[in-house]
Amino acid sequence: FGSRRLPRAAQIDLAARAMTGGMANPGWVYVKKPDPVPKASEIFAVQDQDLPKVEDEMFMARVLAVAVAPHTRAFLELPGNNVGAEAMGLHRTIIGETVPCELVAEVVESKCKGYKVGDRVVCFAPLVQYQVFRGDGKDRPDGRAPPKVFASVSTEDQLNLSTGITAYIVANQHPCGMVDEPGCWGFVKKLLGWTPRKTVLVTSAAGGIGIVAGQLYKNKGCRVIGVTSTRAKADRIKEFGYDEAIAYKEEDMDTRLGELAPEGIDVFFDNVGAEQLDAGSKHMKVGGKIVSVGCAAEIDNYATGKISGWKEYHRMVAKELQVGGFFLMNHLHRIPMAVISLVIMNKRGKLKSVNTVVKGSWADFTKCVDRLHSGDTFGRLVLVFDDQGSIAIDA
């Protein structure tokens, strides 16, 4: 047997089993509905998945890193999150299915011209160590093949990019997130300095989206107020565009907004909902705008269906507030321009990125999910798998 080589799939199988306790292709699976005080290790479990076969016009990729984001739990099929997003292409994860995540993977075998071994791709896909993709994108929900990661971009920075995309589109193109007046007259007024300085409020300001949103609005000349959990994080976000910061666990948000924005808020970029949405709503200016990008405060409530909701909605009438939601799946056509703009701003020093990087094993995923919901992160949380080694596939 000395000179014989194992087939590609067998090489991957043996190497993967050696590194994952006997599993050929481990994947994180939704196995139990969350309890009122959930632990991710009880909700998700690692289960062996079939090792996929690479056919013509396909390539196999191994996961290098994953973005640990709120949607990991928010997208589970639960009584409280039946919001109709399926109509927009969002499939809620049911028990027995693998968990979808945004991830970066490295090509380890390819039978299509567009991808070669060693290329990195980024996509939203099940969290399974090895998976196969078509090079023409026909197996993807959006019909697009996974885009490659530029060689000059690190895996961690790539996973940080999508949060910037959301912030960019909301701040520049969403009617409830824009601070610039539309049209030629709005451009002239801004050029001549006739536009009054706007006050913007951002919740979850130390999260991946909030970090970018604060800088974007600051670059537009706004006075930006951020809300985060602790005083340490509140002090730190001032390095990322925020003029003022509120630590909601240590001070009353309603009282502080009265002190920091006595004349009111023009735009409220909300990532949290519930009590923070209520507090911010009390301080909106007449004609102010609220854009809801997420509702992190409701994630634990999805299991019971007892949603806290927006209790201050009655202020919308007298103040003639404009209120809107944002869902990135509805704006895929805007992503290329957003990426180009973000890269240019970064190169010019107008935009800084930051994330919390954990280098760990495949088994550390649930620990990271719990860490995210504890608030013990700054920027986006990225788990980089350092226990996989390098698997080379013979040509």
Side-chain angles (χ1 to χ4, degrees):
F1 298 103
S3 61
R4 293 183 61 186
R5 295 183 183 275
L6 292 172
R8 293 183 178 87
Q11 293 179 57
I12 295 172
D13 182 43
L14 290 174
R17 286 180 187 274
M19 293 182 291
T20 58
M23 289 189 182
N25 194 26
W28 279 101
V29 177
Y30 175 30
V31 295
K32 180 180 179 293
K33 290 185 177 181
D35 293 324
V37 184
K39 291 184 178 180
S41 60
E42 298 173 354
I43 304 170
F44 308 111
V46 177
Q47 295 181 1
D48 204 1
Q49 309 294 309
D50 291 336
L51 196 65
K53 180 181 178 182
V54 183
E55 299 179 350
D56 290 342
E57 303 303 320
M58 291 183 175
F59 66 90
M60 177 184 287
R62 169 177 58 94
V63 176
L64 299 177
V66 60
V68 183
H71 59 64
T72 303
R73 281 180 47 202
F75 287 3
L76 303 179
E77 186 181 48
L78 295 168
N81 68 347
N82 185 13
V83 295
E86 282 87 352
M88 299 295 109
L90 174 63
H91 171 72
R92 290 188 297 162
T93 309
I94 64 175
I95 287 180
E97 289 185 337
T98 47
V99 180
C101 294
E102 185 179 1
L103 51 85
V104 170
E106 180 182 14
V107 177
V108 295
E109 181 180 357
S110 179
K111 291 186 178 180
C112 60
K113 296 180 180 179
Y115 298 85
K116 66 179 185 298
V117 172
D119 284 344
R120 289 174 299 153
V121 297
V122 59
C123 61
F124 195 77
L127 185 52
V128 179
Q129 191 172 42
Y130 291 94
Q131 46 196 304
V132 166
F133 302 94
R134 287 188 59 89
D136 56 13
K138 291 182 178 179
D139 57 339
R140 304 287 295 156
D142 59 3
R144 303 179 185 184
K148 295 181 185 179
V149 179
F150 291 116
S152 60
V153 178
S154 71
T155 294
E156 296 89 336
D157 285 345
Q158 179 63 51
L159 288 173
N160 215 21
L161 186 60
S162 67
T163 57
I165 291 170
T166 293
Y168 180 88
I169 296 175
V170 170
N172 288 282
Q173 296 167 324
H174 194 287
C176 294
M178 295 169 57
V179 293
D180 302 322
E181 291 187 37
C184 294
W185 180 236
F187 175 76
V188 171
K189 288 174 66 177
K190 182 179 180 180
L191 193 64
L192 297 176
W194 293 351
T195 302
R197 191 183 189 195
K198 302 290 181 68
T199 298
V200 177
L201 174 67
V202 181
T203 52
S204 191
I209 295 175
I211 288 292
V212 179
Q215 297 176 80
L216 293 177
Y217 284 115
K218 185 66 175 179
N219 289 341
K220 293 177 179 292
C222 300
R223 180 169 179 266
V224 192
I225 302 171
V227 182
T228 186
S229 56
T230 65
R231 175 47 49 191
K233 291 168 74 171
D235 292 340
R236 190 177 176 189
I237 64 172
K238 292 182 180 179
E239 302 172 16
F240 296 89
Y242 288 94
D243 298 283
E244 303 289 348
I246 299 170
Y248 71 85
K249 288 186 176 181
E250 302 175 23
E251 51 193 340
D252 183 72
M253 180 177 167
D254 187 8
T255 301
R256 289 291 288 143
L257 282 175
E259 297 167 352
L260 297 174
E263 297 181 0
I265 297 162
D266 294 284
V267 173
F268 181 5
F269 188 119
D270 183 40
N271 292 290
V272 176
E275 294 180 358
Q276 293 187 32
L277 175 58
D278 288 336
S281 298
K282 294 179 182 179
H283 298 272
M284 299 300 298
K285 288 182 180 179
V286 173
K289 299 186 289 187
I290 301 174
V291 57
S292 176
V293 180
C295 46
E298 302 286 11
I299 290 179
D300 285 347
N301 301 329
Y302 288 159
T304 63
K306 297 179 181 178
I307 304 300
S308 297
W310 183 22
K311 295 181 174 62
E312 297 292 333
Y313 71 91
H314 58 286
R315 299 176 185 271
M316 181 168 47
V317 178
K319 291 192 174 183
E320 295 188 347
L321 301 178
Q322 299 179 55
V323 182
F326 177 83
F327 184 39
L328 186 59
M329 291 290 290
N330 293 330
H331 301 268
L332 297 178
H333 62 289
R334 302 184 189 273
I335 290 178
M337 183 56 67
V339 170
I340 293 171
S341 299
L342 290 167
V343 170
I344 291 174
M345 284 189 285
N346 181 263
K347 295 295 184 184
R348 291 179 174 176
K350 295 289 187 180
L351 185 67
K352 297 188 293 183
S353 63
V354 64
N355 48 36
T356 299
V357 178
V358 175
K359 294 187 177 181
S361 70
W362 194 257
D364 287 327
F365 174 69
T366 50
K367 295 177 185 177
C368 289
V369 173
D370 287 337
R371 180 177 177 180
L372 175 70
H373 291 282
S374 74
D376 180 27
T377 59
F378 195 86
R380 197 166 209 193
L381 177 56
V382 176
L383 172 59
V384 178
F385 299 114
D386 64 359
D387 63 342
Q388 301 186 87
S390 177
I391 298 179
I393 307 301
D394 292 334

